[in-house]
Amino acid sequence: MSILKKAEKNIFSSFIDRYNLYTIYMKSSQNIHTEIEIKLALPSFCDYLKLIGFIGKADSVINQRNIFYDTDTQEISKLGYALRLRIESNRGIVTLKSTTIQKGKAAVRDEIEETVSIEQAADISQTDSLLSLDIAPIRFLLAQSKNLKNIKPILQFANERIKKEILLNNRAYLFEVDKTMYVDSSVDYELEIELATIDEIDFAVTDIQHLFKSLEIDFLAMKKSKFERALEIAGLK
C-alpha cells in the first residue's frame, strides 16, 4: 500500500472513530449530567444528630448499596472514570463518573447514568454481567476502551441517605445527609448539597456556614469522595 493510501486510510479511520464517539455522546446526551456538589464532613455522630434534629421530618430516607467495578489492572481507573452500580429498594442506577475538579468549595464532575430495574440490578450484582447491558454508561465506557472485559466488583459500601428540602435565606436547597458504612464496620457522616450552576456556590457556602455556626458544627469540606475513602479502608489506595 502506498504512503498516500495509508494516510487516507488513517484519516478515514480517525474520522470513523470520532464519528462513533460523537454518536455515543448523542445517544447518551439525555443521561450526561454535570454534578456540582458541596460536600461537608460531619466529624462526629453528635454533629450528625444536630443536623438531623434541625432537619426534622425527612422528605425521604433511602438505603443504598454501592458496588464499584474495575478490572484486575484498574483499566477503568486509568481511563479516569469510576463505574458504580447503586441498588435501592425499587431500582438500580448504573453511573460512570469522571475525575472530580474542585471549584471553590464545590466538587464538579461529569457523569453518565441510567436507571435499570431492581431485577436487573440484583442479577448484575450476582453475575458480574454489567458490561453486557446496552445502556448509556456502558456504551460510552466501551467506546473509550474496546478491549475492556472481565470487570468485577472491587469494593462496596452501604449508605443511608436522608433527604430534605431546606429553605435558607429564601433559597431552597436539597439536603442529602449520609451515614456511610464500610467493610471494616467503620461509619462516617456527610452532608451533600447539589447545585444547578457554578454561580450558586458562593451563596450556598455562605448560607450553610451560617447554619453550621448556629448548630455549632465545624464547616469542613469533605475532601475525598466515598469511593476514595472506601478504597483507602480496603487498602486499595
Side-chain angles (χ1 to χ4, degrees):
M1 183 183 294
S2 70
I3 294 175
L4 180 59
K5 289 292 185 182
K6 286 182 179 179
E8 288 175 348
K9 184 178 180 181
N10 289 338
I11 291 170
F12 182 73
S13 297
S14 178
F15 170 78
I16 292 298
D17 288 343
R18 290 198 304 272
Y19 175 78
N20 288 338
L21 186 56
Y22 174 79
T23 301
I24 295 292
Y25 265 118
M26 291 303 98
K27 285 183 177 179
S28 307
S29 60
Q30 69 273 26
N31 305 92
I32 296 175
H33 169 66
T34 298
E35 183 182 65
I36 306 168
E37 283 187 323
I38 294 174
K39 298 171 180 278
L40 300 173
L42 298 170
S44 69
F45 181 60
C46 181
D47 292 326
Y48 172 76
L49 290 180
K50 288 177 185 177
L51 188 57
I52 294 302
F54 167 78
I55 285 174
K57 184 178 179 181
D59 293 336
S60 62
V61 179
I62 305 171
N63 289 300
Q64 303 166 330
R65 179 185 171 201
N66 299 279
I67 308 171
F68 285 83
Y69 292 78
D70 209 332
T71 67
D72 286 332
T73 53
Q74 292 82 50
E75 293 304 313
I76 296 175
S77 177
K78 289 175 183 176
L79 289 168
Y81 301 112
L83 180 62
R84 182 190 69 199
L85 169 65
R86 171 172 285 170
I87 303 175
E88 299 179 348
S89 61
N90 61 347
R91 64 175 184 171
I93 307 169
V94 179
T95 308
L96 184 67
K97 293 176 173 286
S98 71
T99 302
T100 300
I101 299 171
Q102 286 298 132
K103 293 286 187 181
K105 298 290 186 181
V108 180
R109 64 184 170 191
D110 290 329
E111 60 181 24
I112 305 174
E113 69 178 25
E114 192 161 331
T115 299
V116 299
S117 69
I118 188 63
E119 291 79 14
Q120 282 180 300
D123 180 66
I124 294 164
S125 69
Q126 295 170 12
T127 63
D128 300 343
S129 58
L130 187 53
L131 286 183
S132 67
L133 295 184
D134 183 21
I135 57 175
I138 302 304
R139 289 196 299 267
F140 182 84
L141 181 59
L142 292 176
Q144 309 302 301
S145 180
K146 296 174 183 176
N147 296 321
L148 189 67
K149 57 183 178 180
N150 298 327
I151 66 170
K152 64 180 184 180
I154 57 169
L155 60 81
Q156 60 181 292
F157 53 84
N159 194 59
E160 180 188 78
R161 172 162 291 176
I162 296 172
K163 301 177 76 169
K164 179 66 176 284
E165 186 171 296
I166 299 292
L167 196 65
L168 299 176
N169 201 22
N170 293 318
R171 285 184 282 266
Y173 300 104
L174 180 60
F175 276 33
E176 295 179 335
V177 185
D178 290 343
K179 175 184 177 182
T180 306
M181 296 143 279
Y182 300 97
V183 292
D184 66 346
S185 300
S186 63
V187 178
D188 63 28
Y189 309 96
E190 177 180 14
L191 169 64
E192 295 187 357
I193 299 174
E194 187 165 350
L195 306 175
T197 68
I198 296 291
D199 295 337
E200 297 177 19
I201 295 173
D202 289 343
F203 294 111
V205 167
T206 299
D207 290 340
I208 301 163
Q209 282 177 330
H210 289 160
L211 171 64
F212 273 35
K213 185 176 181 180
S214 71
L215 296 174
E216 298 183 341
I217 300 174
D218 290 336
F219 186 89
L220 299 171
M222 184 65 87
K223 296 181 180 180
K224 297 178 181 178
S225 68
K226 293 181 180 69
F227 178 51
E228 290 175 304
R229 302 195 306 266
L231 282 174
E232 290 181 350
I233 289 169
L236 298 174
K237 188 175 181 179

